[in-house]
Amino acid sequence: MTVLSTRALGRALLARQHLLARTDLEPAALVHHLGGLQAQAVPQPPYLGLLARLDGFTPEQLTTLIEQRAVVRIALQRGTIHLVTAEDCRTLRPLLQPVLDQALRTTFGKRLAGLDLTALAAEARALVEEEARTFQQLGALLAAGRPDRDPAALAQAARCLLPLVQVPPRGLWGRSGPAAHTTAEAWLGRPMDPSPSPDDLVLRYLAAFGPAGAADLKKWCGRTGLGPVLRRLAPRLLTFRDERGRPLYDLPEAPRPGSDVPAPVRLVAPFDNLLLSHADRSRVLPEEYKGRVMSQNGIVLGTLLVDGLVAGTWRLTGEREVTVQPFVPLARADREAAEAEARRVLAFAGEGGGAVRIEEVA
């Protein structure tokens, strides 16, 4: 069985993430290919995630897709808010319902003990389909008939039980707004897919993040029990091993460039799934830098990629500035490339005259 080095796995991941070379795909097509973009924070991550991967991308392109309901913000992978296409919302949300069920049991189980969750879901659905509501508003309304219950727990139960989308202007570049929710069915005018295929979930993950194993798949989506699906699909897949001997699966037609293929400097968005979708992140994130990129309270900083690996962090601030903090001294060519990428971010943000600051390594 062929062994793929960590560097080769990194190049394969970057190739199918369109971080080796930018693509001219339509934004909605790229959102679909990636299985969505993490969008818990607003509004930057999904916009900057697309910018890193697309040629000629502008904020208006994604804003229009959100306003036209072609893409939506909804709790999906790992129970976090993702931006996905309308069709993916209809299939991924039912497939990832077990993730939300587990979150409901572990986080709010005691506060919801003895509650008729079916009746709660029906009441919550009627309320948010009457008008989009924040969780604070929804919790207060649900608690009106349940005075002995915690309103916040009731609202979070509704979030787990129902496919709730965040409606605009939430998440729009330069505007945003409160996180108000309605059901995906009401917003899209279509029902959820009644029989989505877990096979498709696995195959789509491999297309965007492979080669990978069962532990990686779980890390990406949060759902357990997909290992048997992966093994059942094995006859249709190629099988490899990593340097530790762990089995990896991949689509035969997926790109696997050689480990010596050049990887350009890139500024990867905060909370990007590039860093959140493998049990072993070392294909792009050296272990010694994990604590400098990911905080204990779940914050994931924007990252600087040099030669295919995280080599620093970066941020776009409200002061019309991009600040890059390398972890190691940068070669002159890499420093110039990082500055060019930062200028590209400023132009995207409408701050073409803004400042780029590349900090010196202490």
Side-chain angles (χ1 to χ4, degrees), residues 2-268:
T2 301
V3 174
L4 295 177
S5 68
T6 301
R7 185 177 172 88
L9 290 173
R11 290 300 191 266
L13 174 60
L14 294 174
R16 57 196 75 185
Q17 287 283 308
H18 295 289
L19 290 169
L20 285 184
R22 292 191 177 99
T23 177
D24 59 0
L25 285 172
E26 291 296 321
L30 183 55
V31 172
H32 171 77
H33 168 72
L34 296 172
L37 293 111
Q38 223 272 17
Q40 193 80 17
V42 292
Q44 290 187 8
Y47 283 88
L48 296 177
L50 292 176
L51 176 66
R53 296 167 167 91
L54 283 174
D55 277 323
F57 177 61
T58 65
E60 293 75 21
Q61 288 177 291
L62 182 54
T63 293
T64 297
L65 291 174
I66 296 171
E67 291 178 328
Q68 293 181 346
R69 311 188 187 193
V71 299
V72 297
R73 298 166 53 86
I74 186 170
L76 289 171
Q77 291 97 310
R78 307 177 298 277
T80 59
I81 299 298
H82 275 66
L83 182 87
V84 295
T85 66
E87 286 306 309
D88 282 347
C89 172
R90 297 181 58 247
T91 58
L92 291 178
R93 183 58 174 77
L95 285 169
L96 297 178
Q97 181 62 46
V99 179
L100 280 300
D101 291 341
Q102 178 64 21
L104 186 62
R105 289 191 297 269
T106 58
T107 308
F108 301 100
K110 291 183 179 180
R111 282 183 277 175
L112 298 171
L115 191 64
D116 185 340
L117 295 180
T118 300
L120 176 72
E123 183 178 347
R125 178 182 290 276
L127 287 168
V128 297
E129 290 185 349
E130 179 182 56
E131 64 177 271
R133 303 180 192 273
T134 66
F135 284 145
Q136 184 177 10
Q137 294 167 338
L138 179 60
L141 290 168
L142 292 171
R146 303 169 181 83
D148 58 332
R149 299 290 183 169
D150 176 11
L154 295 175
Q156 290 302 312
R159 177 186 189 267
C160 294
L161 295 167
L162 299 172
L164 297 181
V165 300
Q166 296 182 352
V167 304
R170 182 68 170 177
L172 299 184
W173 189 272
R175 285 185 274 169
S176 201
H181 305 80
T182 188
T183 62
E185 296 97 330
W187 187 247
L188 299 177
R190 286 167 286 171
M192 295 291 98
D193 188 334
S195 55
S197 168
D199 292 19
D200 291 342
L201 181 70
V202 170
L203 295 174
R204 290 195 50 197
Y205 169 73
L206 292 177
F209 295 97
D216 300 311
L217 183 58
K218 179 184 176 184
K219 179 65 70 174
W220 171 66
C221 70
R223 176 173 165 170
T224 60
L226 291 174
V229 178
L230 189 58
R231 291 189 290 273
R232 176 166 51 77
L233 292 171
R236 298 168 50 185
L237 306 173
L238 297 180
T239 307
F240 305 95
R241 290 195 182 277
D242 66 12
E243 293 175 325
R244 299 183 186 181
R246 294 171 296 192
L248 303 171
Y249 303 88
D250 204 10
L251 304 176
E253 68 276 12
R256 286 176 296 278
S259 59
D260 58 345
V261 169
V265 170
R266 290 286 186 261
L267 296 183
V268 176

Side-chain angles (χ1 to χ4, degrees), residues 13-14 17 19 22 44-45 48-49 52-53 264-276 281 284-286 289-295 299-316 322-327 330 337-338 341-342 345:
L13 174 60
L14 294 174
Q17 287 283 308
L19 290 169
R22 292 191 177 99
Q44 290 187 8
L48 296 177
R53 296 167 167 91
V265 170
R266 290 286 186 261
L267 296 183
V268 176
F271 297 96
D272 200 287
N273 278 333
L274 179 77
L275 305 184
L276 299 173
R281 301 181 175 97
V284 288
L285 176 59
Y289 297 150
K290 179 181 175 183
R292 302 179 68 173
V293 171
M294 300 177 175
S295 71
I299 301 300
V300 182
L301 301 178
T303 51
L304 166 70
L305 293 185
V306 177
D307 192 28
L309 293 172
V310 171
T313 60
W314 72 282
R315 64 186 183 276
L316 169 64
V322 170
T323 300
V324 180
Q325 184 179 37
F327 297 153
L330 299 178
E341 290 293 292
V345 170

